[in-house]
Amino acid sequence: MPPIGPSTDTVTGAEVVLAGLDDEQRTAAQAVSGPVCILAGAGTGKTRTITHRIAYGVHLGAYVPEQVLAVTFTARAAGELRGRLASLGVGGVQARTFHAAALRQLRYFAPRVLGGPLPGLVENKLRLVASAASRARLSTDRTSLRDLASEIEWAKTTLATPEDYPARAQAAGRELPFEAAAVARVYESYESAKQREGVLDFEDLLLVTAFTLEEHQDVARQVRAQYRHFVVDEYQDVNPLQQRLLDAWLGGRAEVCVVGDPNQTIYSFTGADPDYLLGFADRYPDAEVVKLERDYRSTPQVVGLANKLIGQAPRRKGLPGLRLLGQRAEGPEPVFREHPDEPAEAAAVAARCRELIDAGLPAAEIAVLFRINAQSEVYENALTDVGVPYVLKGGERFFERPEVREAVVLLRGAAAGGNEPGMLVPTVRDVLASMGWVEHRPPPGGAARDRWQSLAALVDLAVDLVSENPSLDLAGFVAHLAERADAQHAPTVQGVTLASMHAAKGLEWDVVFVVGLVDGVLPIAQSLSRPEAVEEERRLLYVAVTRAREQLTLSWSLSRNPGGRRSRPRSRFLTGLAPESAPTAPPARRREKKQKVVLEGEAGELFERLRAWRSQAAQSASVPAYVVFTDATLQAIAESRPSSLRELSGLPGIGARKLELYGEDVLATVSG
Ligand code: ATP
Ligand code: MG
């Protein structure tokens, strides 16, 4: 305990913070100084413990908030940390990704150490890699270029130079697109091209920041005086480059708290190494090491499935068993569903989302998780069809969307014109209204809905901030937006989250659909030849299932396209978890039956005509009927009898694509 005498008030604040933790978590939180390591499974409160530990330290007076740097790996996870700290009443703590933290420091020190402003950043390596490859006389295509870029990234994150690369790649069992020596030549040529153009890539940001701290005493002194306490979440996924930066920040001090779960290591293909986590106690023999077992996130049913799944992995040497003990009340059993094809799988998920939302669950409490981003589109279409809003991967690029940029410019202009206290929310609404935004009236589907949602998120943010700080004015709001944009901290947009399993790390939802579980997708085809790569895929599924608080559905489809051969085997990881033959009962169809009975009279008659039209349309396009329109959509059409495309477009399940394909036909059917 630090020798600082806290006032009675702060003791109360600190005690309140501790009251939210169990005994083991409290032990970790109370160790406010010196090295701390929490090694524990999913949902056991690691992130909760570090945020409470920071809040406790601040309340106690042991930490100056601005001197705490909490780092993690994705912008969303950093946002999650900031959100949790804010709700504990702690402001001023820096919670960032490694990249964002490095970028900020380097931008500040660039004039001193690089002799000018921060060089431009390479957003996408492919252009430079392509010209480096052609200089190395390699003939490449899109895939091999992407592989080359990944190899360069791997080399840089594992601190391998072009000279080291061939031996290191071989030792690590990398699968290379070309001979190692050729890859090394491309790597070297890529580095010189970058230097000639005077630009930095993302790895350089970390590397240059670390070098600067190692080489420039004055900069190191200043940075180390600024940051005195370090916390790393998801430490199992730290790579050698990030570790080097962390060591440079620490400069030999031991004020570091790391938390992680070796069973959630999902970035080793990019150079992450769980040995930093597992070896922490050896590197810091006086570390407080805490193990947590109680899972507070998920029902015992979800926890049971997670334990079984990870229990089937071969035990790694030196890895402590991290079985989870479910703490929550009983919930529904996880559901397994097999579908004929991907649109059917997506339609079933979308229909279930619709039901849950209609029953009162906020859309933001639902997530659909998939292995690769390309799987997202079919879900975007299916959700649009049933009128359910969605958010892609949490919109890390929120502040770069054109409508958000425009709104920020307008808000800034309005702020320059004067700031009336107490008028923040109405003013924000007025400014957005001048862009054509109408509250409570989201346009159906597509880009227009995305735009509406981005702007709605800005209003929601203003409302939230005012509830925390009623005197916040427009200038304060604009400054807050600039800060968030800098940290890539997107506000919450109401909608079902569509995210890759990688992007879902650290997050949680009441209802989670893990979709597309076929062999060749999960485990992904490229991993199949290497057992350790397949194990990483298993951990990825473990990450995905442990995101669910209450309801978990795992599904797969036998063919990709409607009418295709139903030959895809379900994921091997489901063996022993799912019943041998899982029921095929897409809720979409159950719903159809229910609705058939509801319609009577004229609407019923039109509904039947629409169905007849639909089966023809479906036949000529060789797709199942519900891919054309679901019964819910036909019902809405039959009830509202739209007479124009505009009216039709206002109905649930009618996106721009459907309007174009079927709009005229539907209107003709309605008018008889
Ligand atoms: P992951 O490995 O997935 O990142 P984690 O170990 O970081 O998980 P948290 O996200 O911190 O787990 O906690 C999971 C959930 O359990 C959160 O909703 C958190 O608020 C809740 N929780 C954790 N500890 C407690 C506790 N002692 N009492 C009540 N709720 C808790
Ligand atoms: Mg966590």
Side-chain angles (χ1 to χ4, degrees):
M1 199 100 351
I4 298 165
S7 74
T8 334
D9 271 5
T10 58
V11 167
T12 320
E15 277 167 2
V16 169
V17 169
L18 287 186
L21 300 177
D22 70 23
D23 288 350
E24 290 81 18
Q25 293 171 335
R26 198 173 305 128
T27 307
Q30 283 179 306
V32 288
S33 71
V36 177
C37 173
I38 305 177
L39 202 72
T44 53
K46 295 183 296 299
T47 304
R48 183 179 172 104
T49 304
I50 54 173
T51 48
H52 280 64
R53 178 176 178 271
I54 293 170
Y56 178 68
V58 169
H59 279 300
L60 214 59
Y63 302 156
V64 175
E66 287 74 16
Q67 295 180 344
V68 181
L69 179 57
V71 277
T72 180
F73 294 85
T74 64
R76 276 206 86 172
E80 177 84 15
L81 281 179
R82 270 189 300 267
R84 292 192 192 189
L85 284 167
S87 62
L88 289 169
V90 177
V93 170
Q94 305 287 307
R96 298 180 182 277
T97 62
F98 274 99
H99 277 111
L103 179 62
R104 202 175 138 96
Q105 293 176 13
L106 202 57
R107 191 176 282 145
Y108 186 76
F109 289 109
R112 204 189 308 171
V113 299
L114 304 175
L118 189 71
L121 293 180
V122 179
E123 288 275 338
N124 185 336
K125 290 194 173 61
L126 289 186
R127 181 183 60 85
L128 285 168
V129 174
S131 51
S134 80
R135 277 192 301 277
R137 298 195 201 300
L138 296 180
S139 90
T140 53
D141 56 15
R142 266 193 81 74
T143 313
S144 56
L145 276 181
R146 228 180 294 125
D147 290 347
L148 279 170
S150 309
E151 283 312 298
I152 293 175
E153 270 164 28
W154 176 81
K156 297 185 77 164
T157 56
T158 56
L159 305 171
T161 61
E163 295 76 55
D164 307 337
Y165 175 80
R168 295 273 291 276
Q170 197 193 4
R174 302 291 293 177
E175 280 195 357
L176 306 184
F178 301 98
E179 269 186 24
V183 178
R185 280 205 310 281
V186 176
Y187 176 15
E188 184 157 28
S189 162
Y190 164 86
E191 287 295 311
S192 355
K194 216 159 31 72
Q195 234 163 28
R196 274 197 308 276
E197 292 192 12
V199 290
L200 299 178
D201 65 18
F202 279 114
E203 291 74 38
D204 291 333
L205 273 184
L206 271 60
L207 211 52
V208 175
T209 308
F211 284 168
T212 302
L213 293 169
E214 289 163 8
E215 303 297 327
H216 293 259
Q217 287 301 319
D218 55 327
V219 172
R221 227 174 292 124
Q222 199 175 338
V223 169
R224 289 172 194 156
Q226 167 70 57
Y227 297 111
R228 293 167 187 269
H229 310 278
F230 295 85
V231 178
V232 189
D233 199 359
E234 308 276 356
Y235 189 58
Q236 75 279 354
D237 273 324
V238 78
N239 63 44
L241 173 57
Q242 290 159 335
Q243 181 64 44
R244 178 143 176 188
L245 178 58
L246 179 62
D247 287 337
W249 280 331
L250 284 165
R253 295 170 295 179
E255 293 305 314
V256 57
C257 166
V258 299
V259 313
D261 174 5
N263 287 329
Q264 293 185 68
T265 305
I266 54 173
Y267 281 101
S268 25
F269 70 98
T270 63
D273 188 348
D275 284 348
Y276 290 112
L277 172 66
L278 296 170
F280 188 85
D282 292 334
R283 280 181 290 133
Y284 296 97
D286 58 338
E288 179 86 56
V289 179
V290 176
K291 224 178 120 181
L292 308 173
E293 289 186 318
R294 286 184 283 271
D295 181 317
Y296 292 97
R297 173 180 295 143
S298 310
T299 62
Q301 282 71 16
V302 173
V303 170
L305 182 88
N307 277 334
K308 244 201 237 170
L309 171 66
I310 209 68
Q312 290 176 353
R315 265 299 268 286
R316 278 188 293 176
K317 233 178 57 207
L319 184 69
L322 292 171
R323 273 191 78 75
L324 300 171
L325 303 172
Q327 299 299 299
R328 296 197 38 181
E330 303 284 322
E333 284 297 332
V335 171
F336 297 91
R337 284 280 181 273
E338 181 172 277
H339 298 276
D341 52 67
E342 287 184 3
E345 185 179 0
V349 168
R352 181 76 186 125
C353 291
R354 180 78 266 169
E355 275 174 10
L356 291 164
I357 293 166
D358 290 347
L361 184 73
E365 285 307 333
I366 307 177
V368 179
L369 307 180
F370 35 76
R371 174 63 181 87
I372 50 173
N373 286 318
Q375 288 171 282
S376 158
E377 197 188 344
V378 61
Y379 289 89
E380 292 172 43
N381 292 336
L383 289 168
T384 305
D385 281 352
V386 294
V388 168
Y390 59 83
V391 218
L392 276 176
K393 261 182 80 184
E396 276 93 315
R397 299 266 165 199
F398 181 85
F399 287 100
E400 278 162 38
R401 294 182 194 168
E403 67 272 19
V404 175
R405 283 170 179 247
E406 188 187 341
V408 170
V409 169
L410 291 174
L411 289 167
R412 204 180 299 136
N419 284 289
E420 228 178 299
M423 288 297 287
L424 175 61
V425 174
T427 316
V428 171
R429 281 202 186 103
D430 280 354
V431 169
L432 300 187
S434 75
M435 296 171 61
W437 180 80
V438 188
E439 192 162 27
H440 304 308
R441 237 194 286 152
R449 178 183 285 265
D450 288 352
R451 179 183 147 90
W452 186 91
Q453 278 178 341
S454 306
L455 300 179
L458 290 175
V459 176
D460 290 348
L461 180 63
V463 171
D464 282 357
L465 291 172
V466 165
S467 73
E468 280 164 26
N469 172 11
S471 63
L472 187 72
D473 63 7
L474 192 55
F477 183 59
V478 169
H480 179 89
L481 288 177
E483 225 172 76
R484 286 177 83 114
D486 200 30
Q488 289 199 21
H489 180 195
T492 313
V493 180
Q494 268 300 328
V496 169
T497 299
L498 295 181
S500 71
M501 298 177 185
H502 281 100
K505 196 163 76 149
L507 306 176
E508 57 188 31
W509 294 269
D510 284 346
V511 178
V512 171
F513 297 90
V514 185
V515 301
L517 294 175
V518 292
D519 244 45
V521 176
L522 189 91
I524 201 157
Q526 304 86 285
S527 71
L528 296 179
S529 58
R530 284 169 305 131
E532 76 284 2
V534 171
E535 284 314 311
E536 182 136 312
E537 298 284 304
R538 187 197 307 275
R539 293 192 294 271
L540 197 50
L541 180 58
Y542 177 76
V543 168
V545 301
T546 52
R547 300 308 98 201
R549 295 195 193 102
E550 281 168 27
Q551 293 183 34
L552 174 64
T553 301
L554 299 105
S555 62
W556 59 96
S557 41
L558 299 173
S559 85
R560 185 188 308 271
N561 298 312
R565 258 188 61 208
R566 298 183 174 178
S567 55
R568 305 196 301 181
R570 70 182 193 188
S571 170
R572 64 189 65 186
F573 301 135
L574 296 174
T575 309
L577 304 181
E580 275 312 305
S581 69
T584 312
R589 285 183 208 165
R590 279 211 306 265
R591 201 180 151 83
E592 283 173 11
K593 279 200 201 100
K594 224 171 40 205
Q595 271 152 2
K596 221 157 83 179
V597 234
V598 181
L599 285 178
E600 279 164 14
E602 242 175 70
E605 188 243 338
L606 175 53
F607 181 70
E608 288 312 322
R609 266 193 288 136
L610 286 164
R611 278 175 65 94
W613 163 79
R614 181 182 64 179
S615 51
Q616 264 184 358
Q619 226 167 29
S620 61
S622 322
V623 294
Y626 57 83
V627 173
V628 177
F629 282 124
T630 59
D631 276 12
T633 301
L634 293 190
Q635 178 183 354
I637 298 172
E639 281 169 345
S640 64
R641 298 187 160 263
S643 58
S644 66
L645 287 176
R646 237 185 79 90
E647 279 176 45
L648 183 60
S649 75
L651 298 178
I654 315 245
R657 204 170 49 91
K658 298 248 162 127
L659 203 60
E660 198 187 314
L661 280 174
Y662 307 121
E664 296 294 347
D665 282 3
V666 168
L667 292 179
T669 312
V670 171
S671 67

